[in-house]
Amino acid sequence: MSAESSSHSANTRAAYVRDWRHYAGWCRRRGLEPLPPDPRQIGLYLTTQAAPGGEDDAPALSATTIERRLAGLAWNFAQRGFSFDRGDSHVAEAIADIRRRARPPAAKEPVRAEDLLAMLGTLSHDLRGLRDRAILLIGFAGGLRRSEITGLDLRQGDSADGMGWVAIQEKSVLVTLAGPSGPRTIEIPRGPSERSCPVAALERWIRFSRIVRGPLFRRILRDGKTIGNERLNDRHVARLVKQTALAAGIRADLAEEARSARFAGQSLRAGNRRPRLPI
């Protein structure tokens, strides 16, 4: 097997593992059992993933993503020795309905450099604030997807579900992302201002969180001082961008509901493509 196909296979398996965890969690919260596979239950699960708002204010998934998630579930059922008919009427009808209702995703408002500075100003200086500053600055400077941000590990090979890792150097941080065609590395230079330097923000988070291996961005428990072991869900990035953009008063010319709909995790990537200020 070539290195490229091996990397693709490993990444696919990691995605399938995440699919199973999501489905099992969905079942647990509803008092349902994930095994044996129940086509009616799976059809309901797929339908809920296509509906916006749901748990944790999650956005609706695209038909393509939902079909890939279904493939992940089928793989997991097979690994556990269960047969599953993806053509069952309950599942097929759910997929057909999702495809019919599919709409192109709405364009999100780009976060500009001056917007980012204002958003950073809304964050506290506790552990959560340190973590979220690093997320916003690294995501913006690297033009990263929200899943790429939360998929980072501190070092290469730290975890089975990691999507990349970081290497801090004297003048920059190297962010290496795994992909189906092999890893790619993005160099993010240090900024001239300490308060908005992505590398400095990352260094502060690592130092005060005392993380030595594993997922880079993690949950912080209710006491505000304890760092969890679990990787932060990528929906946190979308919520973080939205909350800080609203708190900073960005696009105050719009009604509150319209403003809320304008910002999401992809706003960081969209903003990265615009000319940036020397922050």
Side-chain angles (χ1 to χ4, degrees), residues 237-251:
V237 179
R239 291 195 297 269
L240 174 62
V241 172
K242 179 177 294 190
Q243 290 168 0
T244 54
L246 295 178
I250 300 172
R251 290 307 307 268

Side-chain angles (χ1 to χ4, degrees), residues 207-225:
R207 181 169 69 252
F208 285 100
S209 67
R210 298 182 180 179
I211 293 172
V212 295
R213 63 174 293 128
L216 180 58
F217 296 117
R218 308 180 184 192
R219 291 179 57 247
I220 298 173
L221 304 189
R222 290 185 177 181
D223 62 9
K225 300 177 182 179

Side-chain angles (χ1 to χ4, degrees), residues 71-91:
L73 292 182
W75 181 87
N76 276 282
F77 289 136
Q79 293 297 305
R80 289 162 173 78
F82 291 92
S83 61
F84 170 60
D85 180 12
R86 292 171 60 179
D88 180 273
S89 61
H90 297 293
V91 177

